[in-house]
Amino acid sequence: MITENIKHEWSPEQIQGRFKGEGLTMICTTTIYGFIQKDEASGGKLNKHLRHKKAYKKRTGSSETRGQIIGRISIDKRPIIVDEKIRIGDWEADTDTVIGKGHKGVLVTLADRVSKKTLIAHVPSRHAEVVTAAIITLLLPEKEQLRKRPLNPAFLQLF
């Protein structure tokens, strides 16, 4: 079906729209372009039916940076007992639960891994300093239940 539509000079965007409109399995335009590129590499002529004759630029070498906390400490550095989920006071933080329109605001969520108690704060960005300040503000009332093992020196004021 994709090959047939390409031969009728449909763009990958039009093909994707048709699939969506007919309730068929969604397919990404990048996947369609990749299909055309593989066809061309194996001697096919599907690329001749595209309106734009520019060479396809494959995206390589760039890692995904959306949704990442700048300057964060890896989860691999936490103690093994935390993974066992048997004690209260081990908090898990998340900043990509809700990101505002245009990436202008973020909700920082903290959840105790055992009791599931959840704390939420709104911050203007995902930068480590802003997120750290929000986490400290959220955890100050929970100070007595915190485990004394801060990985980040910024959290030492809680102890």
Side-chain angles (χ1 to χ4, degrees), residues 118-147:
T118 304
L119 308 173
I120 303 171
H122 177 266
V123 293
S125 73
R126 290 184 319 264
H127 286 87
E129 309 83 44
V130 177
V131 173
T132 301
I135 290 172
I136 289 170
T137 302
L138 288 171
L139 289 178
L140 277 173
E142 310 295 327
K143 190 173 183 175
E144 297 305 314
Q145 289 187 357
L146 291 177
R147 297 288 163 200

Side-chain angles (χ1 to χ4, degrees), residues 7 30 34 47 55 60 73 77 82 86 100-101 107 111-112 130 133 135 155:
K7 287 182 179 176
T30 306
N47 64 313
T60 60
I73 295 174
K77 293 186 179 180
V82 174
I86 57 173
K101 182 178 179 182
L107 288 183
D112 183 89
V130 177
I135 290 172
F155 297 117

Side-chain angles (χ1 to χ4, degrees), residues 8-19:
H8 283 98
E9 311 243 334
W10 285 33
S11 71
E13 289 80 8
Q14 288 173 313
I15 295 168
Q16 180 188 38
R18 180 176 180 186
F19 274 48

Side-chain angles (χ1 to χ4, degrees), residues 2 21 49 52 54 84 153:
I2 294 173
H49 297 282
H52 298 282
K54 293 189 279 182
E84 295 175 11

